[in-house]
Amino acid sequence: MAIQYHKLFDLLRRRGMKKGELMELANLSWPTMSKLSKGQSVNSDVQDRICAALNCQPGDIMEYVPDEGAKERTERP
């Protein structure tokens, strides 16, 4: 899993927002919210709508965390 959305859910907690509120503000479906919760891929349109709804930057809602396989591939000579 490379992209994780822990930052998004931390931001919601700090702002006292529920997932349902974000879904309404950013026009997200339950399946999309489920994907975000599981760290699955969502398209950039979803990320754009979340950032617009929360008035934040992409780095505020997600981060790249390389998996072990990716680390090993980049460390090879």
Side-chain angles (χ1 to χ4, degrees), residues 25-69:
L25 286 172
N27 193 27
L28 304 176
S29 65
W30 277 111
T32 298
M33 185 56 70
S34 178
K35 283 182 175 184
L36 290 165
S37 296
K38 295 175 185 174
Q40 296 176 342
S41 295
V42 296
N43 66 41
S44 58
D45 178 60
V46 169
Q47 297 163 357
D48 181 57
R49 286 186 280 146
I50 291 170
C51 288
L54 297 177
N55 191 29
C56 67
Q57 295 295 315
D60 297 331
I61 64 168
M62 63 185 183
E63 66 181 331
Y64 174 76
V65 179
D67 62 11
E68 289 303 314

Side-chain angles (χ1 to χ4, degrees), residues 65-77:
V65 179
D67 62 11
E68 289 303 314
K71 251 185 186 177
E72 290 172 10
R73 288 189 296 273
T74 59
E75 292 175 356
R76 290 185 189 164

